[in-house]
Amino acid sequence: MVALRWVYQEGASIIVKSFNKERMKENLQIFDWELSEDEVAMIKQIPQRRGFSGQVFVHPDGPYKSQEEIWDDDA
């Protein structure tokens, strides 16, 4: 629940995979509260990684010559 709320507060889109009605109701509870500034600061200290690097799109003859180009220099 905290992770969903954090993603929402960061302004990112959330795609959940649950088809369980009870879990779907629980997921909607992220709108009833928000993380404090201290809690967000603590979460931002956790090292972040991408689930997908984008390396498959990098090619010398393609539009992306490096991963940095894909991720706006945030590889």
Side-chain angles (χ1 to χ4, degrees), residues 23-73:
R23 179 64 56 88
M24 292 167 69
K25 287 179 187 178
E26 289 175 6
N27 289 343
L28 289 174
Q29 292 176 5
I30 67 167
F31 302 111
D32 297 338
W33 57 283
E34 66 181 48
L35 296 166
S36 70
E37 289 181 21
D38 289 339
E39 291 168 326
V40 171
M42 287 175 27
I43 292 171
K44 287 187 176 187
Q45 292 177 8
I46 300 170
Q48 302 293 311
R49 292 187 322 178
R50 288 192 172 78
F52 177 70
S53 71
Q55 183 61 38
V56 69
F57 297 115
V58 175
H59 191 275
D61 299 324
Y64 301 110
K65 311 296 188 238
S66 70
Q67 285 181 272
E68 288 79 10
E69 290 181 7
I70 295 172
W71 300 113
D72 298 327
D73 294 325

Side-chain angles (χ1 to χ4, degrees), residues 16-24:
V16 295
K17 66 176 187 170
S18 181
F19 289 96
N20 178 295
K21 287 184 182 184
E22 290 305 312
R23 179 64 56 88
M24 292 167 69

